Amino acid sequence: MKILVTGGLGFIGSNFIRRALTETKDEIVNLDAMTYAGNPENLADLIPHPRYRFLRGDITDPRAVRQAMEGVQAVAHFAAETHVDRSILDPAAFLKTNVLGTHVLLEEARRRAGEIKRFLHISTDEVYGPVLKGKSREDAPFRPTSPYAASKAAADHLAAAYHKTYGLPVVIARPSNNFGPYQYPEKAVPLMITNWIEGKPYPLYGDGRQVRNWIYVLDCVRAIGLLLRKGKPGDAYNVGGEVLVENRALVERTRDVMGVPRNLVRRVPDRPGHDRRYALDSGPLSRLGFRPDFPFDRTLRETVAWYKARPQWWRPLKTSSDFSSYYQKQYEARTKEIAAP
Ligand code: NAD
Ligand code: DAU
C-alpha cells in the first residue's frame, strides 16, 4: 500500500515511518514542512530507502498536497502544531495547520473519491478535556481547554464530518501522551531527561499532581498501523497507555532511573488552564486485537538511555535560537501572570 504520511519528520510520524519501512512492505511518501519540530535527522538513514520519498511542503498548500497524494491509497495524517505551551503563547499557527491544513488534506482526498481507501486522522485525548474520574470513551463529549486542544477538536470534528457527509473512509485515532526516542526536547519527558543530563533543573508546573496516560511511542505507532488496515471507516479509536502517572511521580520515577538529586526539580507557576487528568478507555482498539507490548518502567529506562547516548541529536535542538526565544517568551508570560492581581 502506498501511504501519504504528513508530519513524518516529527516524533510519532518518524517512528511510524521507521516501523512501516522495516516491518511492512508499504511505500511511504512523507510530506513535511520542516517546522522547528520537523527534524530531518530523525530519518536521515532512511533517505536512500527504495520505498521512501520525502517531499518538503506545507499541508495548508493545496498544490503541495495534490502532488503528495498522487497514486496514494491511504493517508496517515500526523502533521500538526503540537505543543500546548506554545499554543497558549501564540494560537494562530495552531489554527492554520491543525484546522485549515486538515481541511486541505480532506478536500484533496475527497477529490480523489475511490482512490483513497483510508484517511487516518491522528487526533488526541486532549479533545475530551480533563476527566477527573474514570476514563474517556470515544463517545464522550469534547471539552477542549487549550488552543491546541481546541484546534485538534475542530480537526477531529471536520474529519468525522467528511465521513458522514461525503463518505470519505475516515478513521480517527486519539492517542494519549507518547514518550520515547526522537521526541522534541520541549516536551516533559525529553526536557526532564536532557536537562538532568546537563545538570539543569526540571521545571515542574504547579503542584505536579496532574495525571497523564503514558504510552510508549512504539506501541502507539503499532496501533496506528493496525487502525490503517482494520479501523472501521467513520469510527474513532482511543489509543491509551496502560499507566496513569501524576507528574510528580513521573519526576520521581525518572529521578530514580537517572540517580539525580532532589534540587534538580524546580516548582514553577502552573500552565494556564492546565488539564488536571487524562485517562482513556481503549476498548474498541483492544477489540481489534491490540495489546500494548512495552511496560512503562522498562521503556522509561530505555528512553533515558536513548537520550544519554545521543547528545548529538538533542543538543543542537536545545541550543537553537527557536528554542531559546520560545523559553524567553514563556518565562515573560508566566512571570507577568504571577505579578498580575
Ligand atoms: P511533532 O511536533 O513532533 O511533529 C509534528 C510534525 O509536523 C513536524 O515534523 C512538523 O514539521 C510537521 N508539520 C507541522 N506543521 C506542518 C505543516 N503545516 N505542513 C506540513 N508539516 C507540518 O508532533 P508529534 O508529537 O509527533 O505528534 C504527531 C501527531 O500526533 C499530532 O497530530 C499530534 O496532535 C498527535 N498526538 C501527539 C501526542 C504526543 O504525545 N506527542 C499524543 C496524542 C496525539
Ligand atoms: O495528551 C496528548 C498530548 O500530549 C498531545 O496531544 C500533545 O501534542 C503533547 O504535547 C502532549 O501534551 P501535554 O501537554 O500533556 O505534554 P507535555 O509533555 O507538554 O506535558 C506533560 C505534562 O507535564 C503536563 O501535565 C504538563 C507538565 N509539564 C510539562 C513541561 C513541558 C511540566 O510540569 N513541566 C514542563 O516543563
Side-chain angles (χ1 to χ4, degrees), residues 145-186:
T145 58
S146 70
Y148 162 71
S151 70
K152 293 292 290 186
D156 187 310
H157 281 318
L158 197 60
Y162 269 64
H163 171 72
K164 290 194 192 92
T165 310
Y166 306 115
L168 193 71
V170 171
V171 175
I172 296 176
R174 298 193 189 124
S176 60
N177 281 69
N178 278 237
F179 70 102
Y182 301 105
Q183 187 166 27
Y184 191 83
E186 65 190 349

mmCIF file of all heavy atoms in Angstrom, residues 145-186:
data_model
loop_
_atom_site.group_PDB
_atom_site.id
_atom_site.type_symbol
_atom_site.label_atom_id
_atom_site.label_comp_id
_atom_site.label_asym_id
_atom_site.label_seq_id
_atom_site.Cartn_x
_atom_site.Cartn_y
_atom_site.Cartn_z
ATOM 1 N N THR A 145 -9.669 22.466 26.262
ATOM 2 C CA THR A 145 -9.413 23.670 27.047
ATOM 3 C C THR A 145 -8.334 24.570 26.433
ATOM 4 O O THR A 145 -8.508 25.771 26.363
ATOM 5 C CB THR A 145 -9.028 23.317 28.494
ATOM 6 O OG1 THR A 145 -7.883 22.490 28.448
ATOM 7 C CG2 THR A 145 -10.150 22.606 29.217
ATOM 8 N N SER A 146 -7.214 24.012 25.978
ATOM 9 C CA SER A 146 -6.137 24.864 25.439
ATOM 10 C C SER A 146 -6.422 25.179 23.967
ATOM 11 O O SER A 146 -7.178 24.455 23.302
ATOM 12 C CB SER A 146 -4.793 24.141 25.544
ATOM 13 O OG SER A 146 -4.766 23.062 24.627
ATOM 14 N N PRO A 147 -5.796 26.232 23.433
ATOM 15 C CA PRO A 147 -5.944 26.482 21.982
ATOM 16 C C PRO A 147 -5.492 25.269 21.158
ATOM 17 O O PRO A 147 -6.099 24.952 20.133
ATOM 18 C CB PRO A 147 -5.045 27.703 21.750
ATOM 19 C CG PRO A 147 -5.050 28.414 23.070
ATOM 20 C CD PRO A 147 -5.080 27.326 24.113
ATOM 21 N N TYR A 148 -4.438 24.586 21.593
ATOM 22 C CA TYR A 148 -4.012 23.365 20.885
ATOM 23 C C TYR A 148 -5.164 22.362 20.838
ATOM 24 O O TYR A 148 -5.548 21.875 19.767
ATOM 25 C CB TYR A 148 -2.789 22.733 21.576
ATOM 26 C CG TYR A 148 -2.567 21.283 21.176
ATOM 27 C CD1 TYR A 148 -2.113 20.948 19.900
ATOM 28 C CD2 TYR A 148 -2.842 20.235 22.058
ATOM 29 C CE1 TYR A 148 -1.943 19.606 19.512
ATOM 30 C CE2 TYR A 148 -2.671 18.908 21.690
ATOM 31 C CZ TYR A 148 -2.218 18.598 20.419
ATOM 32 O OH TYR A 148 -2.053 17.295 20.040
ATOM 33 N N ALA A 149 -5.722 22.061 22.019
ATOM 34 C CA ALA A 149 -6.768 21.036 22.089
ATOM 35 C C ALA A 149 -8.000 21.468 21.288
ATOM 36 O O ALA A 149 -8.643 20.641 20.623
ATOM 37 C CB ALA A 149 -7.124 20.766 23.545
ATOM 38 N N ALA A 150 -8.321 22.770 21.342
ATOM 39 C CA ALA A 150 -9.491 23.259 20.599
ATOM 40 C C ALA A 150 -9.264 23.092 19.094
ATOM 41 O O ALA A 150 -10.176 22.704 18.352
ATOM 42 C CB ALA A 150 -9.756 24.719 20.943
ATOM 43 N N SER A 151 -8.034 23.354 18.639
ATOM 44 C CA SER A 151 -7.759 23.208 17.200
ATOM 45 C C SER A 151 -7.812 21.734 16.798
ATOM 46 O O SER A 151 -8.292 21.387 15.712
ATOM 47 C CB SER A 151 -6.398 23.832 16.835
ATOM 48 O OG SER A 151 -5.329 23.073 17.372
ATOM 49 N N LYS A 152 -7.358 20.859 17.679
ATOM 50 C CA LYS A 152 -7.411 19.422 17.364
ATOM 51 C C LYS A 152 -8.865 18.924 17.404
ATOM 52 O O LYS A 152 -9.248 18.045 16.632
ATOM 53 C CB LYS A 152 -6.556 18.613 18.346
ATOM 54 C CG LYS A 152 -5.059 18.850 18.241
ATOM 55 C CD LYS A 152 -4.434 18.338 16.942
ATOM 56 C CE LYS A 152 -4.395 16.832 16.842
ATOM 57 N NZ LYS A 152 -3.651 16.390 15.615
ATOM 58 N N ALA A 153 -9.669 19.497 18.301
ATOM 59 C CA ALA A 153 -11.080 19.101 18.374
ATOM 60 C C ALA A 153 -11.791 19.501 17.078
ATOM 61 O O ALA A 153 -12.585 18.737 16.515
ATOM 62 C CB ALA A 153 -11.750 19.741 19.583
ATOM 63 N N ALA A 154 -11.479 20.718 16.582
ATOM 64 C CA ALA A 154 -12.097 21.176 15.332
ATOM 65 C C ALA A 154 -11.704 20.240 14.188
ATOM 66 O O ALA A 154 -12.547 19.841 13.370
ATOM 67 C CB ALA A 154 -11.651 22.608 15.034
ATOM 68 N N ALA A 155 -10.420 19.877 14.134
ATOM 69 C CA ALA A 155 -9.946 18.998 13.054
ATOM 70 C C ALA A 155 -10.601 17.617 13.151
ATOM 71 O O ALA A 155 -10.992 17.023 12.131
ATOM 72 C CB ALA A 155 -8.420 18.868 13.134
ATOM 73 N N ASP A 156 -10.755 17.119 14.361
ATOM 74 C CA ASP A 156 -11.376 15.802 14.594
ATOM 75 C C ASP A 156 -12.828 15.837 14.082
ATOM 76 O O ASP A 156 -13.276 14.943 13.331
ATOM 77 C CB ASP A 156 -11.287 15.520 16.108
ATOM 78 C CG ASP A 156 -11.736 14.139 16.517
ATOM 79 O OD1 ASP A 156 -12.825 13.744 16.090
ATOM 80 O OD2 ASP A 156 -11.032 13.463 17.299
ATOM 81 N N HIS A 157 -13.562 16.889 14.470
ATOM 82 C CA HIS A 157 -14.953 17.013 14.012
ATOM 83 C C HIS A 157 -15.027 17.116 12.481
ATOM 84 O O HIS A 157 -15.911 16.550 11.853
ATOM 85 C CB HIS A 157 -15.593 18.271 14.602
ATOM 86 C CG HIS A 157 -16.039 18.112 16.033
ATOM 87 N ND1 HIS A 157 -16.685 16.990 16.505
ATOM 88 C CD2 HIS A 157 -15.958 18.949 17.103
ATOM 89 C CE1 HIS A 157 -16.985 17.132 17.783
ATOM 90 N NE2 HIS A 157 -16.532 18.316 18.174
ATOM 91 N N LEU A 158 -14.084 17.863 11.901
ATOM 92 C CA LEU A 158 -14.097 18.054 10.450
ATOM 93 C C LEU A 158 -13.851 16.717 9.734
ATOM 94 O O LEU A 158 -14.529 16.377 8.757
ATOM 95 C CB LEU A 158 -12.998 19.064 10.080
ATOM 96 C CG LEU A 158 -13.076 19.704 8.713
ATOM 97 C CD1 LEU A 158 -14.378 20.488 8.535
ATOM 98 C CD2 LEU A 158 -11.882 20.661 8.530
ATOM 99 N N ALA A 159 -12.894 15.961 10.263
ATOM 100 C CA ALA A 159 -12.596 14.655 9.662
ATOM 101 C C ALA A 159 -13.833 13.756 9.741
ATOM 102 O O ALA A 159 -14.211 13.091 8.762
ATOM 103 C CB ALA A 159 -11.394 14.016 10.367
ATOM 104 N N ALA A 160 -14.492 13.761 10.909
ATOM 105 C CA ALA A 160 -15.704 12.937 11.067
ATOM 106 C C ALA A 160 -16.799 13.414 10.100
ATOM 107 O O ALA A 160 -17.522 12.598 9.507
ATOM 108 C CB ALA A 160 -16.200 13.019 12.514
ATOM 109 N N ALA A 161 -16.890 14.749 9.913
ATOM 110 C CA ALA A 161 -17.912 15.301 9.010
ATOM 111 C C ALA A 161 -17.669 14.853 7.565
ATOM 112 O O ALA A 161 -18.620 14.608 6.814
ATOM 113 C CB ALA A 161 -17.901 16.830 9.097
ATOM 114 N N TYR A 162 -16.417 14.726 7.172
ATOM 115 C CA TYR A 162 -16.120 14.275 5.799
ATOM 116 C C TYR A 162 -16.529 12.823 5.599
ATOM 117 O O TYR A 162 -16.803 12.411 4.482
ATOM 118 C CB TYR A 162 -14.636 14.505 5.451
ATOM 119 C CG TYR A 162 -14.424 15.867 4.809
ATOM 120 C CD1 TYR A 162 -14.671 17.036 5.516
ATOM 121 C CD2 TYR A 162 -14.025 15.991 3.471
ATOM 122 C CE1 TYR A 162 -14.513 18.282 4.937
ATOM 123 C CE2 TYR A 162 -13.866 17.240 2.878
ATOM 124 C CZ TYR A 162 -14.113 18.383 3.622
ATOM 125 O OH TYR A 162 -13.966 19.613 3.045
ATOM 126 N N HIS A 163 -16.525 12.051 6.670
ATOM 127 C CA HIS A 163 -17.057 10.682 6.531
ATOM 128 C C HIS A 163 -18.575 10.739 6.403
ATOM 129 O O HIS A 163 -19.155 10.174 5.470
ATOM 130 C CB HIS A 163 -16.655 9.809 7.722
ATOM 131 C CG HIS A 163 -17.365 8.489 7.691
ATOM 132 N ND1 HIS A 163 -17.051 7.507 6.785
ATOM 133 C CD2 HIS A 163 -18.433 8.027 8.396
ATOM 134 C CE1 HIS A 163 -17.868 6.481 6.940
ATOM 135 N NE2 HIS A 163 -18.719 6.771 7.917
ATOM 136 N N LYS A 164 -19.202 11.462 7.331
ATOM 137 C CA LYS A 164 -20.686 11.465 7.360
ATOM 138 C C LYS A 164 -21.262 12.110 6.109
ATOM 139 O O LYS A 164 -22.224 11.636 5.532
ATOM 140 C CB LYS A 164 -21.179 12.214 8.600
ATOM 141 C CG LYS A 164 -20.904 11.440 9.871
ATOM 142 C CD LYS A 164 -21.686 12.025 11.061
ATOM 143 C CE LYS A 164 -21.182 11.423 12.360
ATOM 144 N NZ LYS A 164 -20.102 12.217 12.983
ATOM 145 N N THR A 165 -20.656 13.216 5.678
ATOM 146 C CA THR A 165 -21.245 13.973 4.569
ATOM 147 C C THR A 165 -20.864 13.407 3.202
ATOM 148 O O THR A 165 -21.697 13.309 2.312
ATOM 149 C CB THR A 165 -20.789 15.447 4.654
ATOM 150 O OG1 THR A 165 -21.029 15.908 5.972
ATOM 151 C CG2 THR A 165 -21.545 16.326 3.669
ATOM 152 N N TYR A 166 -19.583 13.051 3.058
ATOM 153 C CA TYR A 166 -19.105 12.665 1.716
ATOM 154 C C TYR A 166 -18.736 11.179 1.602
ATOM 155 O O TYR A 166 -18.282 10.740 0.554
ATOM 156 C CB TYR A 166 -17.872 13.494 1.348
ATOM 157 C CG TYR A 166 -18.077 14.991 1.443
ATOM 158 C CD1 TYR A 166 -17.358 15.739 2.381
ATOM 159 C CD2 TYR A 166 -18.977 15.654 0.616
ATOM 160 C CE1 TYR A 166 -17.529 17.112 2.478
ATOM 161 C CE2 TYR A 166 -19.158 17.034 0.718
ATOM 162 C CZ TYR A 166 -18.434 17.757 1.642
ATOM 163 O OH TYR A 166 -18.603 19.112 1.744
ATOM 164 N N GLY A 167 -18.831 10.469 2.724
ATOM 165 C CA GLY A 167 -18.493 9.043 2.687
ATOM 166 C C GLY A 167 -17.007 8.770 2.598
ATOM 167 O O GLY A 167 -16.595 7.649 2.255
ATOM 168 N N LEU A 168 -16.166 9.774 2.888
ATOM 169 C CA LEU A 168 -14.714 9.534 2.861
ATOM 170 C C LEU A 168 -14.366 8.511 3.961
ATOM 171 O O LEU A 168 -14.863 8.627 5.074
ATOM 172 C CB LEU A 168 -13.989 10.874 3.124
ATOM 173 C CG LEU A 168 -12.495 10.874 2.820
ATOM 174 C CD1 LEU A 168 -12.248 10.827 1.305
ATOM 175 C CD2 LEU A 168 -11.831 12.145 3.397
ATOM 176 N N PRO A 169 -13.546 7.508 3.625
ATOM 177 C CA PRO A 169 -13.261 6.452 4.625
ATOM 178 C C PRO A 169 -12.305 6.926 5.727
ATOM 179 O O PRO A 169 -11.152 6.502 5.816
ATOM 180 C CB PRO A 169 -12.646 5.323 3.780
ATOM 181 C CG PRO A 169 -12.134 5.986 2.549
ATOM 182 C CD PRO A 169 -12.955 7.210 2.312
ATOM 183 N N VAL A 170 -12.824 7.796 6.569
ATOM 184 C CA VAL A 170 -12.016 8.393 7.650
ATOM 185 C C VAL A 170 -12.038 7.485 8.877
ATOM 186 O O VAL A 170 -13.093 6.996 9.284
ATOM 187 C CB VAL A 170 -12.604 9.772 8.039
ATOM 188 C CG1 VAL A 170 -11.926 10.319 9.298
ATOM 189 C CG2 VAL A 170 -12.477 10.755 6.886
ATOM 190 N N VAL A 171 -10.856 7.262 9.448
ATOM 191 C CA VAL A 171 -10.729 6.590 10.749
ATOM 192 C C VAL A 171 -9.960 7.568 11.641
ATOM 193 O O VAL A 171 -9.005 8.196 11.184
ATOM 194 C CB VAL A 171 -9.945 5.255 10.620
ATOM 195 C CG1 VAL A 171 -9.720 4.618 11.979
ATOM 196 C CG2 VAL A 171 -10.676 4.289 9.689
ATOM 197 N N ILE A 172 -10.400 7.692 12.885
ATOM 198 C CA ILE A 172 -9.760 8.670 13.777
ATOM 199 C C ILE A 172 -9.066 7.939 14.932
ATOM 200 O O ILE A 172 -9.666 7.059 15.566
ATOM 201 C CB ILE A 172 -10.806 9.674 14.319
ATOM 202 C CG1 ILE A 172 -11.382 10.475 13.138
ATOM 203 C CG2 ILE A 172 -10.187 10.611 15.371
ATOM 204 C CD1 ILE A 172 -12.498 11.439 13.496
ATOM 205 N N ALA A 173 -7.805 8.302 15.159
ATOM 206 C CA ALA A 173 -7.052 7.749 16.303
ATOM 207 C C ALA A 173 -6.889 8.872 17.326
ATOM 208 O O ALA A 173 -6.547 9.995 16.961
ATOM 209 C CB ALA A 173 -5.686 7.259 15.841
ATOM 210 N N ARG A 174 -7.122 8.549 18.608
ATOM 211 C CA ARG A 174 -6.942 9.564 19.664
ATOM 212 C C ARG A 174 -5.951 9.043 20.700
ATOM 213 O O ARG A 174 -6.340 8.465 21.726
ATOM 214 C CB ARG A 174 -8.285 9.904 20.342
ATOM 215 C CG ARG A 174 -9.279 10.491 19.381
ATOM 216 C CD ARG A 174 -10.490 11.122 20.098
ATOM 217 N NE ARG A 174 -11.500 11.482 19.112
ATOM 218 C CZ ARG A 174 -12.761 11.063 19.113
ATOM 219 N NH1 ARG A 174 -13.219 10.285 20.075
ATOM 220 N NH2 ARG A 174 -13.589 11.440 18.161
ATOM 221 N N PRO A 175 -4.652 9.253 20.431
ATOM 222 C CA PRO A 175 -3.647 8.727 21.368
ATOM 223 C C PRO A 175 -3.532 9.568 22.636
ATOM 224 O O PRO A 175 -3.870 10.756 22.654
ATOM 225 C CB PRO A 175 -2.336 8.813 20.571
ATOM 226 C CG PRO A 175 -2.719 9.095 19.154
ATOM 227 C CD PRO A 175 -4.043 9.796 19.218
ATOM 228 N N SER A 176 -3.005 8.924 23.669
ATOM 229 C CA SER A 176 -2.655 9.637 24.906
ATOM 230 C C SER A 176 -1.189 10.080 24.805
ATOM 231 O O SER A 176 -0.560 9.946 23.748
ATOM 232 C CB SER A 176 -2.884 8.717 26.107
ATOM 233 O OG SER A 176 -2.088 7.554 25.998
ATOM 234 N N ASN A 177 -0.632 10.571 25.908
ATOM 235 C CA ASN A 177 0.751 11.111 25.886
ATOM 236 C C ASN A 177 1.766 10.043 25.511
ATOM 237 O O ASN A 177 1.893 9.021 26.195
ATOM 238 C CB ASN A 177 1.129 11.626 27.274
ATOM 239 C CG ASN A 177 0.555 12.979 27.551
ATOM 240 O OD1 ASN A 177 -0.661 13.116 27.693
ATOM 241 N ND2 ASN A 177 1.406 13.989 27.634
ATOM 242 N N ASN A 178 2.502 10.324 24.447
ATOM 243 C CA ASN A 178 3.570 9.417 23.991
ATOM 244 C C ASN A 178 4.909 9.832 24.585
ATOM 245 O O ASN A 178 5.148 11.014 24.829
ATOM 246 C CB ASN A 178 3.709 9.512 22.473
ATOM 247 C CG ASN A 178 2.708 8.670 21.710
ATOM 248 O OD1 ASN A 178 3.080 7.824 20.915
ATOM 249 N ND2 ASN A 178 1.416 8.881 21.933
ATOM 250 N N PHE A 179 5.803 8.866 24.748
ATOM 251 C CA PHE A 179 7.193 9.168 25.081
ATOM 252 C C PHE A 179 8.067 8.141 24.380
ATOM 253 O O PHE A 179 7.603 7.078 23.988
ATOM 254 C CB PHE A 179 7.434 9.151 26.611
ATOM 255 C CG PHE A 179 7.365 7.767 27.213
ATOM 256 C CD1 PHE A 179 8.517 7.075 27.549
ATOM 257 C CD2 PHE A 179 6.141 7.149 27.415
ATOM 258 C CE1 PHE A 179 8.459 5.786 28.082
ATOM 259 C CE2 PHE A 179 6.063 5.860 27.942
ATOM 260 C CZ PHE A 179 7.224 5.186 28.278
ATOM 261 N N GLY A 180 9.359 8.498 24.214
ATOM 262 C CA GLY A 180 10.278 7.568 23.553
ATOM 263 C C GLY A 180 11.298 8.335 22.728
ATOM 264 O O GLY A 180 11.454 9.554 22.878
ATOM 265 N N PRO A 181 12.000 7.626 21.821
ATOM 266 C CA PRO A 181 13.043 8.255 21.011
ATOM 267 C C PRO A 181 12.506 9.311 20.043
ATOM 268 O O PRO A 181 11.368 9.206 19.597
ATOM 269 C CB PRO A 181 13.632 7.093 20.200
ATOM 270 C CG PRO A 181 13.100 5.857 20.786
ATOM 271 C CD PRO A 181 11.870 6.191 21.550
ATOM 272 N N TYR A 182 13.328 10.291 19.723
ATOM 273 C CA TYR A 182 13.052 11.328 18.718
ATOM 274 C C TYR A 182 11.976 12.326 19.125
ATOM 275 O O TYR A 182 11.377 12.968 18.268
ATOM 276 C CB TYR A 182 12.666 10.699 17.354
ATOM 277 C CG TYR A 182 13.693 9.790 16.749
ATOM 278 C CD1 TYR A 182 13.514 8.403 16.760
ATOM 279 C CD2 TYR A 182 14.850 10.307 16.164
ATOM 280 C CE1 TYR A 182 14.461 7.562 16.211
ATOM 281 C CE2 TYR A 182 15.809 9.465 15.610
ATOM 282 C CZ TYR A 182 15.607 8.090 15.638
ATOM 283 O OH TYR A 182 16.537 7.254 15.094
ATOM 284 N N GLN A 183 11.712 12.478 20.433
ATOM 285 C CA GLN A 183 10.705 13.480 20.841
ATOM 286 C C GLN A 183 11.408 14.817 21.069
ATOM 287 O O GLN A 183 12.418 14.899 21.768
ATOM 288 C CB GLN A 183 9.990 13.034 22.126
ATOM 289 C CG GLN A 183 8.821 13.954 22.479
ATOM 290 C CD GLN A 183 7.892 13.372 23.539
ATOM 291 O OE1 GLN A 183 8.310 12.564 24.370
ATOM 292 N NE2 GLN A 183 6.627 13.771 23.506
ATOM 293 N N TYR A 184 10.848 15.862 20.492
ATOM 294 C CA TYR A 184 11.466 17.191 20.585
ATOM 295 C C TYR A 184 11.599 17.589 22.070
ATOM 296 O O TYR A 184 10.631 17.458 22.833
ATOM 297 C CB TYR A 184 10.602 18.208 19.822
ATOM 298 C CG TYR A 184 11.290 19.531 19.630
ATOM 299 C CD1 TYR A 184 12.193 19.722 18.588
ATOM 300 C CD2 TYR A 184 11.064 20.578 20.508
ATOM 301 C CE1 TYR A 184 12.837 20.941 18.417
ATOM 302 C CE2 TYR A 184 11.700 21.795 20.340
ATOM 303 C CZ TYR A 184 12.591 21.969 19.295
ATOM 304 O OH TYR A 184 13.229 23.173 19.138
ATOM 305 N N PRO A 185 12.764 18.099 22.469
ATOM 306 C CA PRO A 185 13.030 18.252 23.916
ATOM 307 C C PRO A 185 12.360 19.440 24.596
ATOM 308 O O PRO A 185 12.830 19.874 25.643
ATOM 309 C CB PRO A 185 14.561 18.374 23.966
ATOM 310 C CG PRO A 185 14.960 18.849 22.625
ATOM 311 C CD PRO A 185 13.945 18.337 21.642
ATOM 312 N N GLU A 186 11.227 19.907 24.053
ATOM 313 C CA GLU A 186 10.395 20.874 24.784
ATOM 314 C C GLU A 186 9.335 20.134 25.591
ATOM 315 O O GLU A 186 8.741 20.695 26.508
ATOM 316 C CB GLU A 186 9.686 21.813 23.792
ATOM 317 C CG GLU A 186 8.684 21.093 22.911
ATOM 318 C CD GLU A 186 8.128 21.915 21.759
ATOM 319 O OE1 GLU A 186 8.346 23.124 21.728
ATOM 320 O OE2 GLU A 186 7.491 21.305 20.873
#
